[in-house]
Amino acid sequence: MNRDNKAPPVDNSFLEEASNILKNLEKEHTSPIVYLYTLLSPELPGRIFNPAEHFILEQLRQIKRYKKISFDQKIPKITLIVSSLGGNITTVLNIIKLIKENCGLFSVIVPSKALGAASLLALTADELIVAKDSLFSPFGPLVTNQNNSMPSTLALSDITAVLDQNISNEKKAELLLSLYKNTNSIVVEQALQEKNQIKSALMENFEERGLEMPIRKALLSLFLEDNLPQGSLITVKDITQCGLHVLDLLEEQTTELRHLDSLMEEYSYPYPIQSILDFYKGSNSCYLNFSISLLSVLSAITGLTSHRSDMLTAYCGDREKISRATISFNPSSLYTYTAELDHKGRK
């Protein structure tokens, strides 16, 4: 099970199966499909961060080349499949801008989860296609506390909830101090500015799409203004009750795409926790090296690009008492790994 620090070769069978799923979906949705996936593993969740901008842009360029569309023209329609626990808001806003500038109709499919910043990506699509039990969540900015030895991430909604209380300013100041006494006020101000940026971008997007004002306000309240606790889940029913029209993902397509998620998870995180436990219980080695893919972008036209990290797990205790909590995960340098598909014979 040991691996060196180089990216392992991509399993051809994985790429072929994933590509075939996307090809079948392209026929159904009559558009090129790009799949954006970040690792959904609770042990090592992936996030949408700045490399995703470059990966998406390169996919759009390659699709134009393949479809013989000039760079100054738009692709008639792009469908983006999103499976992610969230990520960086600025990165997502940049992705939305890139896609809108390069395609006529922007469609998003959410087969399971598009949380946090990924919810923002889904909400700005011209066409949103969801499974009945797809999940979303608020995307209010977070405040990262870097002023002590144990950095923590706080929800901006906690601050605004205190500010909105009908209490004296002195009491508000006392509550804020008790909650965020180690948080840099400049960081809080930056988060408030980011919230205004999100609100402005959303309202502009809703206006361009011709959504009625009651729908705009209801969606804005649900995802940004209601100060829901960080990690709160939003269902398809919640979205439709705001008045937004969504399309149902066919049951067989839901099954296919969730299978694709499982294939990607297996590729992204090659050793489940139980396998790591078994490794240490049955081996004299204290270390296990492998690579994980935190962020991946895949299409049937361009292939796979992923942002990977070398991982080292370590354990040197009593092998009969190994538990998940006693194993340490140590990521090292991040790097990009690309695998192109062979298009011979593709029509």
Side-chain angles (χ1 to χ4, degrees):
M1 288 178 71
N2 284 294
R3 293 185 178 182
D4 58 25
N5 288 332
K6 295 180 180 179
V10 176
D11 183 351
N12 287 335
S13 62
F14 155 74
L15 266 184
E16 289 172 6
E17 186 172 359
S19 176
N20 286 334
I21 291 173
L22 294 180
K23 287 177 187 176
N24 290 334
L25 286 168
E26 285 180 346
K27 295 176 183 176
E28 296 289 336
H29 293 272
T30 62
S31 74
I33 289 181
V34 178
Y35 173 49
L36 173 61
Y37 174 89
T38 63
L39 189 57
L40 301 176
S41 167
E43 290 85 16
L44 291 165
R47 298 290 176 187
I48 301 172
F49 61 121
N50 62 313
E53 301 171 21
H54 308 290
F55 296 169
I56 294 290
L57 180 58
E58 186 56 30
Q59 290 280 354
L60 294 171
R61 287 171 174 167
Q62 293 293 342
I63 288 170
K64 284 186 175 182
R65 290 192 187 101
Y66 189 83
K67 298 288 186 180
K68 294 183 171 55
I69 298 172
S70 64
F71 291 129
D72 60 344
Q73 292 182 316
K74 290 187 175 184
I75 303 164
K77 179 183 177 182
I78 284 290
T79 299
L80 184 69
I81 300 169
V82 181
S83 291
S84 175
L85 299 181
N88 182 271
I89 290 290
T90 302
T91 296
V92 166
L93 289 173
N94 288 339
I95 290 173
I96 294 166
K97 182 178 181 180
L98 288 171
I99 293 177
K100 294 277 189 178
E101 288 182 352
N102 283 278
C103 79
L105 180 68
F106 175 35
S107 178
V108 166
I109 298 176
V110 179
S112 57
K113 294 179 180 178
L115 306 184
S119 288
L120 174 60
L121 187 56
L123 206 60
T124 54
D126 300 312
E127 179 182 77
L128 180 57
I129 306 170
V130 296
K132 293 179 180 179
D133 57 350
S134 293
L135 294 173
F136 306 84
S137 72
F139 38 70
L142 299 176
V143 177
T144 302
N145 175 1
Q146 297 286 4
N147 287 354
N148 55 41
S149 58
M150 293 293 288
S152 59
T153 302
L154 311 168
L156 181 60
S157 59
D158 293 338
I159 299 174
T160 55
V162 171
L163 295 175
D164 289 341
Q165 288 187 48
N166 187 22
I167 55 177
S168 67
N169 289 336
E170 291 78 9
K171 185 62 176 177
K172 289 180 182 179
E174 181 184 338
L175 289 172
L176 289 174
L177 182 62
S178 65
L179 285 172
Y180 302 107
K181 60 183 178 181
N182 293 318
T183 301
N184 191 320
S185 60
I186 296 176
V187 176
V188 175
E189 177 62 27
Q190 289 173 339
L192 287 167
Q193 290 177 357
E194 184 179 28
K195 181 176 181 179
N196 289 332
Q197 180 188 12
I198 298 168
K199 181 177 180 179
S200 176
L202 264 179
M203 292 303 281
E204 182 179 345
N205 174 273
F206 292 161
E207 184 177 2
E208 288 176 354
R209 290 159 57 190
L211 294 183
E212 296 178 358
M213 186 57 71
I215 299 176
R216 299 183 209 175
K217 290 182 177 179
L219 290 172
L220 197 67
S221 295
L222 179 62
F223 282 92
L224 191 62
E225 301 285 15
D226 279 354
N227 298 322
L228 292 176
Q230 196 66 28
S232 298
L233 294 178
I234 294 173
T235 65
V236 174
K237 182 179 179 180
D238 294 328
I239 295 175
T240 55
Q241 284 180 340
C242 291
L244 184 68
H245 176 68
V246 301
L247 299 176
D248 293 330
L249 185 63
L250 297 177
E251 189 172 338
E252 56 267 30
Q253 292 182 4
T254 301
T255 301
E256 273 195 312
L257 285 176
R258 290 184 178 176
H259 176 58
L260 180 57
D261 279 351
S262 66
L263 288 175
M264 185 60 78
E265 181 172 4
E266 186 176 346
Y267 162 73
S268 300
Y269 188 43
Y271 300 138
I273 285 293
Q274 188 58 50
S275 297
I276 294 175
L277 291 171
D278 292 342
F279 170 80
Y280 287 119
K281 286 180 178 178
S283 168
N284 292 324
S285 173
C286 293
Y287 302 99
L288 172 66
N289 298 306
F290 58 95
S291 297
I292 65 169
S293 180
L294 298 168
L295 164 71
S296 296
V297 177
L298 172 69
S299 78
I301 290 175
T302 303
L304 170 73
T305 306
S306 62
H307 212 61
R308 303 181 69 85
S309 175
D310 292 331
M311 297 294 298
L312 173 69
T313 67
Y315 178 80
C316 294
D318 186 341
R319 297 192 176 278
E320 294 183 357
K321 299 179 180 179
I322 290 176
S323 68
R324 170 173 160 182
T326 60
I327 296 174
S328 62
F329 289 81
N330 302 297
S332 63
S333 59
L334 290 166
Y335 53 91
T336 297
Y337 186 81
T338 303
E340 296 182 357
L341 290 162
D342 182 2
H343 293 299
K344 291 180 180 179
R346 180 184 166 99
K347 296 182 180 180

